[in-house]
Amino acid sequence: MDPLALIEDYLSDQENGMKNLITGFLNQVMLAEALQQAGAAQYERTDARKAHRNGYKDRSLKTRYGETILRKPQFRELPFETQVFGRYARVEKALVNAIVESYLQGVSTRKIQEIVSHLGIDQLSPASVSRLAKDLDDQVQAFLLRPIEQAIPYLFVDASYYKIRDGARYVTKAVLVVAGVRDDGYREILGARITDCENEEFWSGLFEELKERGLTGVQLVVSDGHTGIQKAAEAAFLGASWQMCQVHCTRAVLRNIPRKHQKEVVEGLKEAYGSEQRLQDLADDLNARGYRKAANTIERFLSGLMSYTAFPKPHGKRLRTTNMVERVNRELKRRTKVVGVFPNEASLLRLVGSILMDINEEWVIGRRYLTMEKE
């Protein structure tokens, strides 16, 4: 891999230059993996050698910069194993599966047909789809039902919405994603569930399932204002508090404010968040101006808007909203939009779960999200 050549490629054509850089880097990763697995470099004479090299096999990999062709090392005595393809392949399989299921069930659009044709899978049989789905389902279920091994002081819940075929109808269902900040300060995806009902009974069931998997140490639950979540959180996690996402609260208030006054109210809310008295004063002012529903919204969530102030001040900015998990949902939307309408709930969970596995891997090996007090 010639660094100068890569720089020249990038300067002349950024897209192609990045693709070449990714190709060269991942090829080097596999060479390092081959060295570790063989126990010796090529042509090296040593008693530690476990396998001999047997050339390369070309393998394609789709990246955000286009398809690349990588050189996968081969061994004579044993199979070569690499982590390079696993994460990419998992989401790609789920995406292909969702598209093909839609295609086979007659709910595809012209765009989906073009994608299927481009992927070269227009002759894929229902049996092939089923085999692919079974493998992915096993991986996703293992991820979503795995034990929760560390205490989670901060729990975040948020939803995104998707179209699913239900017989002859198309319905919208919510995918609830539950994430947390562990007691070591790292983030973790804890679970996901598809639902069309968000009452207190639902939330209680979800929290109990998380506890059965080992969830402990919850001190704060951050979410939007769906009915029942506050009561369910307080019942499931005795001694814990519930924080109403301030962004969601602002949106709820603005729904009852004329457009010409919305900017003024947004500024008022920004100044009031952090003080229960200022929030009450703002509610009284809105009520006096005739915006009773907006005032009621603030008063209804008042006790839950201040919970984050009981925790370390450096954590406050990240505890006031569900932004952490909302970014996850935006990524889910971006990477699932090619499907359009999902043929069933299983197809949706299969793709969402595969993407969540990728995000979780980035979180647990990435940068620490919060510096915890005990450190």
Side-chain angles (χ1 to χ4, degrees):
M1 186 165 62
D2 182 355
L4 182 58
L6 289 172
I7 292 171
E8 290 175 346
D9 281 347
Y10 182 78
L11 291 175
S12 61
D13 182 348
Q14 290 189 9
E15 289 286 321
N16 192 56
M18 284 301 299
K19 187 162 71 170
N20 290 339
L21 178 61
I22 291 170
T23 301
F25 173 73
L26 293 180
N27 280 335
Q28 291 296 317
V29 170
M30 287 192 288
L31 287 176
E33 290 176 318
L35 177 62
Q36 291 176 351
Q37 292 173 40
Q42 275 186 299
Y43 311 118
E44 181 183 359
R45 295 180 179 275
T46 171
D47 293 337
R49 180 180 290 280
K50 302 174 186 176
H52 293 80
R53 300 286 290 275
N54 189 29
Y56 298 88
K57 183 177 181 180
D58 287 347
R59 173 79 184 271
S60 65
L61 176 68
K62 288 182 175 65
T63 74
R64 62 183 296 182
Y65 296 100
E67 187 175 52
T68 63
I69 304 298
L70 303 182
R71 302 183 71 212
K72 182 181 176 184
Q74 302 291 298
F75 293 143
R76 290 196 186 97
E77 296 86 352
L78 49 84
F80 169 70
E81 297 180 356
T82 178
Q83 297 184 41
V84 166
F85 299 96
R87 291 175 59 189
Y88 291 98
R90 186 168 58 226
V91 173
E92 183 183 345
K93 284 180 181 179
L95 180 58
V96 169
N97 182 267
I99 292 170
V100 176
E101 275 194 289
S102 298
Y103 185 64
L104 293 173
Q105 295 193 29
V107 297
S108 61
T109 63
R110 183 175 63 183
K111 181 179 178 182
I112 288 178
Q113 292 179 25
E114 289 171 356
I115 293 168
V116 169
S117 178
H118 174 71
L119 291 171
I121 54 175
D122 35 354
Q123 300 301 317
L124 194 59
S125 68
S128 300
V129 175
S130 296
R131 286 194 298 271
L132 182 61
K134 176 65 167 61
D135 177 55
L136 289 165
D137 285 343
D138 290 345
Q139 294 182 50
V140 168
Q141 286 301 310
F143 170 68
L144 295 178
L145 299 177
R146 73 194 188 283
I148 300 173
E149 298 176 337
Q150 295 199 40
I152 308 289
Y154 303 137
L155 196 68
F156 295 78
V157 184
D158 195 44
S160 54
Y161 299 88
Y162 301 85
K163 292 285 187 184
I164 298 177
R165 188 183 186 193
D166 181 12
R169 301 187 307 132
Y170 296 94
V171 298
T172 299
K173 295 204 175 184
V175 174
L176 265 293
V177 176
V178 184
V181 179
R182 307 186 313 204
D183 60 0
D184 61 2
Y186 284 89
R187 294 172 291 174
E188 187 172 343
I189 302 288
L190 302 175
R193 180 182 286 191
I194 297 174
T195 180
D196 51 12
C197 175
E198 295 185 55
N199 55 24
E200 183 179 348
E201 185 177 345
F202 163 80
W203 288 109
S204 296
L206 175 60
F207 292 149
E208 288 303 318
E209 179 186 300
L210 293 171
K211 288 165 64 177
E212 287 172 5
R213 288 173 44 212
L215 177 62
T216 60
V218 176
Q219 300 175 34
L220 183 70
V221 179
V222 188
S223 74
D224 60 19
H226 275 292
T227 305
I229 188 170
Q230 181 178 8
K231 291 181 180 179
E234 291 172 349
F237 309 113
L238 294 178
S241 303
W242 172 71
Q243 171 67 39
M244 169 65 178
C245 171
Q246 292 181 355
V247 173
H248 283 89
C249 182
T250 298
R251 292 173 188 164
V253 171
L254 293 182
R255 281 198 289 269
N256 298 292
I257 298 293
R259 184 176 296 274
K260 63 181 179 180
H261 295 309
Q262 287 186 356
K263 184 176 180 181
E264 170 197 345
V265 173
V266 168
E267 292 303 318
L269 283 167
K270 285 181 180 178
E271 293 176 4
Y273 284 139
S275 167
E276 187 170 345
Q277 185 58 54
R278 286 200 299 269
L279 282 168
Q280 185 61 62
D281 290 344
L282 178 59
D284 292 341
D285 178 63
L286 291 174
N287 184 51
R289 294 165 61 183
Y291 304 133
R292 183 58 194 163
K293 289 184 177 179
N296 285 344
T297 298
I298 295 175
E299 291 177 340
R300 179 157 56 96
F301 296 126
L302 189 57
S303 61
L305 287 167
M306 303 297 301
S307 297
Y308 75 96
T309 60
F311 298 90
K313 191 171 182 180
H315 296 184
K317 185 176 180 180
R318 288 179 164 167
L319 299 181
R320 292 185 293 112
T321 71
T322 56
N323 284 354
M324 183 185 88
V325 71
E326 278 199 16
R327 285 194 287 271
V328 173
N329 281 324
R330 284 198 294 272
E331 182 67 3
L332 292 177
K333 280 290 188 180
R334 185 184 71 82
R335 295 169 70 178
T336 59
K337 64 182 179 181
V338 66
V339 177
V341 177
F342 285 85
N344 49 53
E345 287 190 10
S347 174
L348 172 58
L349 187 61
R350 189 176 302 131
L351 181 50
V352 164
S354 298
I355 297 170
L356 290 176
M357 290 170 72
D358 276 2
I359 294 172
N360 190 65
E361 287 174 12
E362 293 172 3
W363 279 5
V364 297
I365 65 173
R367 291 190 298 178
R368 196 186 306 268
Y369 191 66
L370 289 175
T371 300
M372 308 307 276
E373 270 193 330
K374 66 181 181 181
E375 300 173 2

